[in-house]
Amino acid sequence: MKSLFRSLSFRLAVTYAALFCGSLAVLFAAFFWLAVSRPLGVVRTQVSAELAEMETVYAEEGMRELAKRLEARARPTSGVDRAFHALIAADGSVLTTNLPSWPSHVQSGFYSIEADVYHEGGEIDFSALSRERQFPDGTRLIVGRDAEVVEDRQEVLLATFPVLIALVLLLAVSGGYLMSRAIGHRIEVISAAARRVMGGRLAARVPVHGSGDDFDRLSHTLNLMLEQNEALFESVRRVSDNIAHELRTPLSRVLAVLDDATADEAADETSVMGEAREELARLQAIINATLRIARIEGGRHDSGFATVDLAAIVRDAVELYEPAAALRDLKISVEGPATLSLSADRDLLFQAISNLLDNAVKYSLSGSMIGILLSEEEDRARLEIANEGLPLLAAEAEQVTERFFRGAAASDLPGHGLGLTLVAAIVQRHEGEFKVHANGRHTKIAIVLRRRRPADASTKAQGRPLSARRGFGFSYFFDIHDPASRSKTISPAGSG
């Protein structure tokens, strides 16, 4: 019972019942005034006026005229508005009346007199709402009007209202109990699933009844969260394994070099130190890249956000990698506007674009082309880089932004598997989107960033158009993607 009263649903049901009873009381009071109080007030006003009129007749015209006026008043004009009276002399004799009885003593204020009429073996109920006066000579005058219907209505309402309130409270408490049990059961199911997950069963899910109610929508949302948490946990596990592997390899090589140098007295110390230094430098690069990604993802990077020209950054990055591309007989085709301003951290954007170009140059087939397209989409800037190179499997497109992940086709090539992770972190820092489309040997990576329109729109016409650079045109790369292409999108929230 104590748990029942602690139940929020039960308390809400009782609160609702109390509010409903209060509303019902207000409505009852309004109806009582309209159906009872107001009609009785009209009758009382009428009786008081008639009593005053009869007092005037008695004072001015005498007892005989008063009796005549009372009898004339008593003649029924309708079956619902009947007048009653009684005129009793000081010695108790009845001068005129149409009441069957009346109180033996003078009454003050209004009171009711049963004035039933028997007609042809039947009884017609009347209730005379009356007032009276006693004249100086002891004569007693009683004047009334029928109020049977209103008084019956009053009696029924006053008798019904307490029963109605009690019934409402009973139904509310019963309904609250049943509702509390139903809601409590659904909540317990969710709590049980949460406890299973906390116990290590990450695959546990909240049952969905299929009714589409609020609890089903909540269960669906929780299941999505649990699925993402499971994926993140699995990603962390893979990253942990990869970190251990990546750090172990250079450390093992350093130890092996030092062990060989120790065992071989004739070993060249300069060569040994060079090899050890090379491996330690690789280890330091891995650690620095991992820390940089963590700082950017955690918002601890000192951002230098300002209005920058994305087109100029792309040109700088292309010029940086053109020599490396030429060594592998690669051509770079660039298309887009001459200027494209947006609010961003220039250093971070240059780092991201450089990483993408580094991957494209490193993994493209010799003699192929790298396509770059820069475009505007309403209030956003879009950068796309496409190349033809080592195949990226469909399942691998989902993991390219994980730390130390490397595709099966690139596992033997130099690299740490942190380049795209850093790009995704930079894009997330700019609240943009990072998309990977893979279709066998053809890969396209797109970055979509928010931008602010420059104050002077005329600056868009200045500068050297990107499309003027040598190449075969960018559209060649984007006819290759069909509905079967595998894609991965990193949203501003960093999902995926």
Side-chain angles (χ1 to χ4, degrees):
M1 184 60 69
K2 183 181 294 185
S3 61
L4 178 64
F5 284 101
R6 286 201 302 264
S7 169
L8 176 62
S9 56
F10 182 79
R11 294 201 306 270
L12 288 177
V14 172
T15 302
Y16 175 76
L19 292 175
F20 183 78
C21 289
S23 303
L24 188 63
V26 172
L27 291 175
F28 176 82
F31 180 76
F32 190 85
W33 181 81
L34 290 172
V36 176
S37 299
R38 188 168 178 272
L40 286 178
V42 172
V43 175
R44 290 190 182 101
T45 301
Q46 184 179 8
V47 170
S48 296
E50 290 176 340
L51 181 59
E53 180 185 356
M54 295 304 155
E55 287 178 326
T56 302
V57 171
Y58 176 78
E60 295 178 355
E61 301 181 31
M63 183 74 71
R64 187 180 297 275
E65 184 61 26
L66 175 59
K68 290 181 180 179
R69 295 285 290 271
L70 288 171
E71 290 174 356
R73 173 179 169 273
R75 295 190 186 99
T77 57
S78 68
V80 294
D81 185 22
R82 183 172 292 233
F84 295 94
H85 69 274
L87 185 60
I88 305 104
D91 59 2
S93 59
V94 178
L95 301 177
T96 178
T97 185
N98 62 347
L99 289 170
S101 63
W102 49 85
S104 58
H105 300 288
V106 178
Q107 305 291 313
S108 61
F110 288 93
Y111 60 95
S112 294
I113 300 176
E114 291 294 332
D116 299 342
V117 174
Y118 296 93
H119 179 69
E120 296 183 358
E123 179 183 10
I124 303 175
D125 295 330
F126 291 100
S127 178
L129 184 59
S130 307
R131 282 187 71 184
E132 63 176 281
R133 284 287 187 273
Q134 189 172 30
F135 299 126
D137 61 359
T139 303
R140 186 179 175 191
L141 171 63
I142 300 174
V143 175
R145 283 280 177 176
D146 178 44
E148 174 73 20
V149 174
V150 179
E151 290 180 350
D152 286 348
R153 189 182 301 151
Q154 179 182 17
E155 183 180 354
V156 170
L157 290 176
L158 292 177
T160 303
F161 183 70
V163 177
L164 182 62
I165 291 294
L167 183 61
V168 168
L169 288 175
L170 178 62
L171 292 176
V173 171
S174 302
Y177 172 74
L178 295 176
M179 185 169 59
S180 177
R181 288 196 58 182
I183 295 177
H185 174 70
R186 299 291 294 273
I187 293 176
E188 179 56 32
V189 169
I190 296 175
S191 299
R195 287 192 293 269
R196 288 195 297 271
V197 173
M198 289 188 294
R201 298 172 59 185
L202 299 181
R205 296 294 181 265
V206 181
V208 178
H209 291 232
S211 60
D213 59 10
D214 294 341
F215 277 100
D216 263 11
R217 291 196 295 272
L218 175 61
S219 299
H220 179 67
T221 302
L222 290 175
N223 286 338
L224 290 177
M225 181 190 70
L226 292 174
E227 288 173 5
Q228 186 168 359
N229 286 346
E230 184 181 13
L232 291 174
F233 184 85
E234 180 63 22
S235 174
V236 170
R237 187 190 63 78
R238 288 197 301 268
V239 168
S240 300
D241 293 343
N242 290 335
I243 288 176
H245 175 74
E246 292 293 333
L247 296 182
R248 182 182 62 185
T249 301
L251 288 176
S252 298
R253 289 176 179 173
V254 170
L255 290 174
V257 169
L258 295 177
D259 288 342
D260 291 342
T262 302
D264 186 1
E265 296 180 356
D268 185 358
E269 291 186 5
T270 303
S271 175
V272 171
M273 295 299 294
E275 291 183 30
R277 182 179 179 83
E278 182 180 346
E279 293 300 329
L280 290 176
R282 180 171 179 265
L283 179 61
Q284 185 179 30
I286 293 174
I287 294 174
N288 288 341
T290 303
L291 292 176
R292 183 176 175 85
I293 292 170
R295 283 198 301 270
I296 295 173
E297 290 181 338
R300 300 190 302 274
H301 172 78
D302 294 332
S303 299
F305 276 75
T307 300
V308 300
D309 185 356
L310 182 58
I313 297 175
V314 171
R315 284 195 294 269
D316 292 343
V318 169
E319 289 176 1
L320 177 65
Y321 279 90
E322 275 185 329
L327 290 176
R328 303 196 64 234
D329 194 22
L330 299 173
K331 293 182 175 59
I332 301 178
S333 171
V334 188
E335 295 181 10
T339 61
L340 183 54
S341 300
L342 74 161
S343 179
D345 185 313
R346 188 188 190 284
D347 293 339
L348 289 182
L349 280 189
F350 184 80
Q351 176 76 67
I353 296 170
S354 297
N355 281 13
L356 294 177
L357 281 175
D358 184 75
N359 275 4
V361 171
K362 186 187 301 180
Y363 300 129
S364 290
L365 296 177
S366 179
S368 63
M369 183 172 64
I370 299 171
I372 301 176
L373 174 63
L374 188 63
S375 59
E376 299 180 59
E377 297 179 351
E378 297 181 352
D379 63 339
R380 296 174 181 269
R382 184 181 183 92
L383 173 66
E384 298 177 337
I385 298 179
N387 73 298
E388 181 181 2
L390 299 179
L392 184 65
L393 301 179
E396 294 175 339
E398 297 289 337
Q399 302 174 256
V400 292
T401 58
E402 292 184 8
R403 288 172 174 82
F404 303 107
F405 175 81
R406 309 193 66 199
S411 59
D412 295 331
L413 296 179
H416 308 311
L418 294 173
L420 291 183
T421 306
L422 180 59
V423 173
I426 293 173
V427 172
Q428 180 181 348
R429 184 72 180 89
H430 286 77
E431 298 182 353
E433 295 182 5
F434 177 80
K435 305 178 180 180
V436 179
H437 300 273
N439 183 18
R441 292 183 176 273
H442 299 282
T443 302
K444 180 181 71 172
I445 296 179
I447 296 175
V448 182
L449 302 172
R450 297 180 182 179
R451 64 181 298 264
R452 287 201 299 260
R453 297 285 181 183
D456 185 3
S458 64
T459 59
K460 289 182 62 178
Q462 301 175 2
R464 178 164 49 99
L466 290 177
S467 57
R469 303 191 63 82
R470 65 180 180 274
F472 297 105
F474 189 75
S475 60
Y476 165 79
F477 292 95
F478 297 95
D479 295 331
I480 62 176
H481 298 292
D482 55 36
S485 298
R486 186 68 173 179
S487 67
K488 174 184 176 63
T489 300
I490 307 297
S491 69
S495 61

